[in-house]
Amino acid sequence: MLGFPEQAIKQALDKQGVLARSGLLKIKNSNSSLWDKLALLSGLSAAFEQAYETIDRLFDAYIIPAPAAELSAKHYEHIQTHYQRLQQYLKNCLEQKLTGANVLIYGDPGTGKTQLVRAIAAELKLNLYEIAVEGEDNDVLAGEERISACQLGQFLLGKSSQNCILFDEVEDVFPSHFMALFNKKASNAKQEKGWMNYLLEHNPVPTLWLTNDIHAIDPAYIRRFDMVIELGIPPRSVRKAMLRSALVATDVRPKWIEQMAELEHLSPAIIQRAAKVTRLIGSQTPAEHEQHLEALIGGTLKAMQCTYQAQPGNAPDFYDARLLNVSVDLQQLSQGLQRTRRGRLCFYGLPGTGKSAYASHLAKALDMPFINKRASDIIDCYVGNTEKNIARLFAEAKAEQALLFLDEADSFLQERSRSQHSWETTQVNELLVQMEQFQGIFICATNLMQNLDSAVLRRFDFKLEFKALKPEQAWLLLQSLMGETLSRYSLEQQQVYQEQLAAMDHLTPGDFAAVKRKLEVLGSMQNVDLFLQNLRDELCFKPEQQKRSIGFGAVI
């Protein structure tokens, strides 16, 4: 039909021939028709109808020079070891001209996988090329076609020792057995297994493969990669640095950056896009900048079903360690932790006694980052996710060398003998393992000490009970809040107020804070009698007060 000798046709279509090795043409085993037998790279026939200055321009739609990196090594301090190891690996592979050099990088969308590769390529002064998602005709390339595009890139770029290839969104290229049952494209890609394995073993150009979902890839492929690196959401310290870097030309308050860095799911991509849109909107004041950024970041995180509102710090308006009623010498404890930088502490006692406030104060005294989490931040409705959240929490504290504080610990650390479901036991087990391995300072707080698992309690070095205020502490706190007002009264009247306070049992700093907020709304913070009456009202709602007998006793 073509007028060529049969032997020449066989050589041209051989699996080791130029057409096959370059990915331009694939010869399939189907014998049904000529069209099914030969598979030309998508969009290539249309490309042949146009004129190009050079042969390289013909393939621009498949192999794209990567844009400049927007992030640098400083944005990957949380994976510094992986970063340096990957950098040295690529450098040596190129210098030694090794074949079959492949790295798989996975993690949630927006964590900076693409920027990581671009940053390393920029530092090594490599020519980085990316495999296209769309072909010459603007149609989305299927997994099989992207494999062919990668083969083409290996064929064209293999002659230079300074080239590197980035292959993003590889989920449909390495399908799992499960996905192959339900996805036609995945099934087709599965048929390319021989070509795929050959590519991974003989590719002359180092290739970095990126995916958002590692579970979508068959383990038979995963084991063929030289390195497999997980890139998660950066820790708080790195998020803070990224916010500062992205907003260097945007006027926002440092306190606001501190607050926004608390958002656990705040990824580099979200930060970069929010900063870009805010600059395009344009604002005049820091408050307007912050409002725009919060709306943009919050909208994205909300759509992703993540926590999207940064919580302000819970530090009290005033803090005085003299208001803590604890049997342990807190100054000696702080000095010991300052020296060892390691300890496990359990704070228990009445609500409002200052457990959370002291944990925050202790972190400042030790000059350590403070990670403050509630049980609700960790517990997940899906089985297994709570355990993952616990592991990630301790990993973040280790990376930042932070003091880790877990409030409301009784919510998921209940005695395992009372567990009705297996996952309740595995949550406790996971925390026990993480506590044993953690080399920093871990504090948990609970109002229900009796509900905690006995094995968990044994692992705490200190179990500190925070008791209600002593009479002298209650008077000191009232003076801190209403000192100017109290000074207008006679010493005799002040003594009366002091006696009234001493008659109130189970008062806590939290009670004073609640009454203060209430009277500030009413504009009555100068009324000492009203303040004391509201303290009595607060006590009426406490279980300890309700245990007292109610009513009148008759004497017969």
Side-chain angles (χ1 to χ4, degrees), residues 6-211:
E6 182 178 343
Q7 187 60 31
I9 298 295
K10 286 183 177 181
Q11 290 180 354
L13 300 182
D14 188 81
K15 291 184 178 180
Q16 299 302 320
V18 173
L19 287 175
R21 287 190 295 112
S22 66
L24 295 174
L25 183 70
K26 280 186 168 57
I27 313 300
K28 296 189 176 182
N29 296 326
S30 172
N31 293 319
S32 59
S33 67
L34 181 62
W35 302 112
D36 294 331
K37 188 74 174 177
L38 304 177
L40 192 65
L41 181 61
S42 177
L44 191 61
S45 57
F48 283 148
E49 298 175 358
Q50 303 179 33
Y52 297 92
E53 297 178 1
T54 63
I55 189 67
D56 293 338
R57 294 297 304 275
L58 175 64
F59 304 113
D60 276 353
Y62 307 100
I63 312 158
I64 307 168
E70 298 178 5
L71 303 180
S72 62
K74 68 179 182 180
H75 296 107
Y76 294 96
E77 293 178 353
H78 55 299
I79 57 162
Q80 183 178 15
T81 303
H82 287 307
Y83 189 96
Q84 295 174 347
R85 188 180 294 128
L86 176 56
Q87 188 179 51
Q88 191 62 42
Y89 166 82
L90 290 175
K91 180 180 178 181
N92 291 340
C93 284
L94 291 166
E95 289 178 351
Q96 300 175 28
K97 299 182 180 180
L98 298 179
T99 59
N102 296 281
V103 176
L104 178 63
I105 303 176
Y106 69 97
D108 292 336
T111 50
K113 299 183 291 296
T114 303
Q115 293 298 327
L116 168 65
V117 176
R118 291 177 183 174
I120 290 180
E123 287 192 15
L124 295 177
K125 298 181 180 180
L126 303 180
N127 303 316
L128 181 64
Y129 294 86
E130 300 181 3
I131 302 302
V133 178
E134 297 180 352
E136 181 71 24
D137 52 4
N138 295 325
D139 288 338
V140 176
L141 296 177
E144 176 184 344
E145 295 163 340
R146 299 187 73 208
I147 294 174
S148 297
C150 186
Q151 287 180 276
L152 177 61
Q154 299 288 343
F155 186 81
L156 295 176
L157 304 173
K159 296 179 181 180
S160 173
S161 61
Q162 289 299 110
N163 291 334
C164 193
I165 291 178
L166 167 60
F167 199 135
D168 202 354
E169 300 179 11
V170 301
E171 291 85 356
D172 60 340
V173 174
F174 300 103
S176 65
H177 291 295
F178 178 79
M179 292 300 296
L181 295 174
F182 300 98
N183 190 299
K184 182 178 180 181
K185 291 184 178 180
S187 302
N188 292 337
K190 187 69 175 178
Q191 297 174 7
E192 311 293 316
K193 187 173 183 178
W195 294 325
M196 194 70 251
N197 290 340
Y198 182 86
L199 176 60
L200 290 174
E201 293 170 0
H202 299 91
N203 56 305
V205 183
T207 306
L208 297 104
W209 311 74
L210 311 185
T211 179

Side-chain angles (χ1 to χ4, degrees), residues 389-515:
N389 292 339
I390 293 173
R392 186 174 67 247
L393 180 63
F394 277 89
E396 181 182 357
K398 178 182 177 181
E400 296 197 31
Q401 296 184 339
L403 187 153
L404 176 56
F405 177 66
L406 177 59
D407 203 358
E408 304 170 357
D410 49 274
S411 297
F412 66 99
L413 293 182
Q414 297 183 16
E415 180 69 47
R416 282 173 289 183
S417 60
R418 304 175 185 174
S419 300
Q420 299 180 355
H421 307 281
S422 60
W423 48 264
E424 294 176 311
T425 300
T426 58
Q427 290 174 9
V428 178
N429 293 341
E430 180 63 29
L431 184 79
L432 291 176
V433 171
Q434 293 297 335
M435 286 177 61
E436 291 286 355
Q437 297 177 350
F438 188 55
Q439 300 298 311
I441 299 177
F442 170 61
I443 301 174
C444 84
T446 176
N447 300 327
L448 302 172
M449 182 69 161
Q450 67 276 12
N451 289 354
L452 294 192
D453 186 89
S454 56
V456 175
L457 291 177
R458 285 197 302 271
R459 284 165 170 79
F460 286 107
D461 308 320
F462 295 90
K463 306 172 189 65
L464 307 183
E465 181 181 7
F466 285 65
K467 301 177 182 178
L469 292 169
K470 298 176 181 178
E472 60 270 22
Q473 290 175 316
W475 177 246
L476 177 63
L477 182 49
L478 185 64
Q479 287 179 314
S480 299
L481 295 174
M482 309 186 73
E484 184 178 348
T485 303
L486 283 171
S487 64
R488 300 177 190 149
Y489 291 93
S490 65
L491 294 178
E492 291 77 9
Q493 184 60 43
Q494 292 184 36
Q495 181 65 33
V496 172
Y497 288 144
Q498 192 170 357
E499 292 174 356
Q500 290 180 6
L501 266 181
M504 300 183 201
D505 295 330
H506 307 108
L507 275 177
T508 68
D511 298 327
F512 281 81
V515 172

